[in-house]
Amino acid sequence: MSRYAKVQIQFWRDEKIVALSEDERNLFLYLLTCPHGNAVGLFVLPDAYACGDLRWPRRRYSKALGGLLDRGFVVKDDTVQLIWLPNYLKHNPIENPSQAAGAIKAIQELPRSPLCAQLAAKLKQCGKAYLAPVAAALEARSPGQYQTQCEAECSTQCSTQCSTPVTVSVTVSETVEEDGPVDIVDNVDNSEAEVAAVENDEERVLFGLLDILGDRDIGMDPEAVNAVAEAMLRRGVPLRVAEIAADLTVELAKSAPARGAYFETVMADWLNRGTLTVAAAEASAERAREKAKLRAGPPRARSGTR
């Protein structure tokens, strides 16, 4: 994690920034300054984490991110959820060997990705000696470097097996529709009104759930919050059900740190059991309270002196 990130005051007047939509601009500023970033502008950022930080539904985040990707502000490796800001080091340069050492530590925690090799090539163009170890660390995280190491080990340990050619036959069968191709676009209703309605529903459920959890001091991982919100939206579960589960959590969870896991367990259990209405949720909550009382046993009588 990088503690600081520079954003120049010309940011808001830059022609390329002005040309972005409001969501694209806000997302780019978030990516520049988010707590998941590091000293090289290449970091892991699962979509759910970003959505949780921004309090955006996935559809809104994906649309804004797509705009930044199209314009070259951001590069993403979807296979490992890696985000790269190509111009990050232009405004936040590594200025000395001490900073370079910190950057290397951050790089060593990254998953292998072609983006590491691309950033390494960019650093080599700077021509600064203290950046050479940083570039080398990035190259070590590239898939090509890993493949080379594996090939060397394979060649040393099992040269006979590896040198044996293997022939693979593949049979491909195709089904041809005699009535001609089907126009898939005609079967999908992409009206702007329906898309907007879906986005508004996503926002309503996600923001409502975040408010419910926040009001009751129930901490949850952003990815878990998104998962619960998506399940509720998919099953048509009203927010009142989440409120009932949250109130039950506050009553029965023994400590604040345990509340997030307890709430997630309750919601998963209710969704699996088909507890999708307010009446069913209230009944389930009451049964949980009764069970908790039975486990606790009768109250102990106080002994005193007369």
Side-chain angles (χ1 to χ4, degrees), residues 2-231:
S2 180
R3 294 183 62 190
Y4 306 100
K6 297 176 185 176
V7 178
Q8 297 187 3
I9 58 175
Q10 291 90 348
F11 177 88
W12 301 104
R13 294 183 179 179
D14 186 283
E15 292 181 359
K16 294 180 180 178
I17 298 297
V18 172
L20 298 174
S21 70
E22 184 177 0
D23 275 358
E24 290 168 352
R25 191 160 47 247
N26 289 336
L27 176 57
F28 185 51
L29 187 58
Y30 162 78
L31 294 174
L32 287 171
T33 59
C34 74
H36 314 285
N38 57 29
V40 294
L42 178 66
F43 52 92
V44 174
L45 180 62
D47 292 351
Y49 283 30
C51 291
D53 289 342
L54 294 165
R55 300 186 66 180
W56 285 4
R58 285 182 185 268
R59 187 184 296 270
R60 182 178 178 185
Y61 172 74
S62 298
K63 183 177 179 181
L65 181 61
L68 294 178
L69 292 170
D70 291 342
R71 290 174 170 82
F73 283 85
V74 179
V75 182
K76 185 180 181 185
D77 183 348
D78 284 307
T79 58
V80 289
Q81 296 291 301
L82 202 61
I83 291 285
W84 179 33
L85 308 177
N87 289 327
Y88 182 84
L89 289 176
K90 177 180 178 182
H91 304 289
N92 295 269
I94 300 171
E95 297 178 329
N96 54 58
S98 177
Q99 291 182 4
I104 290 172
K105 288 183 180 179
I107 291 166
Q108 290 171 343
E109 297 178 358
L110 296 176
R112 298 187 184 278
S113 169
L115 298 184
C116 294
Q118 293 182 40
L119 179 53
K122 212 167 189 182
L123 282 177
K124 287 180 178 180
Q125 295 174 1
C126 297
K128 295 180 179 179
Y130 64 83
L131 291 179
V134 181
L138 284 163
E139 288 179 334
R141 303 306 300 165
S142 67
Q145 181 69 19
Y146 179 69
Q147 185 178 4
T148 300
Q149 292 172 355
C150 289
E151 288 175 351
E153 292 175 4
C154 180
S155 177
T156 302
Q157 298 175 6
C158 53
S159 57
T160 303
Q161 292 89 334
C162 292
S163 61
T164 303
V166 178
T167 303
V168 179
S169 299
V170 179
T171 303
V172 179
S173 60
E174 296 183 0
T175 302
V176 179
E177 298 288 345
E178 295 182 357
D179 295 334
V182 178
D183 191 351
I184 297 176
V185 177
D186 291 342
N187 297 329
V188 180
D189 188 354
N190 284 326
S191 67
E192 293 184 3
E194 289 196 5
V195 171
V198 171
E199 290 179 352
N200 290 337
D201 254 0
E202 288 179 348
E203 290 190 4
R204 178 183 60 80
V205 173
L206 178 60
F207 292 173
L209 183 57
L210 286 168
D211 287 339
I212 289 169
L213 298 174
D215 290 344
R216 292 159 179 81
D217 193 26
I218 299 174
M220 280 181 68
D221 183 272
E223 192 165 359
V225 175
N226 272 279
V228 172
E230 288 177 357

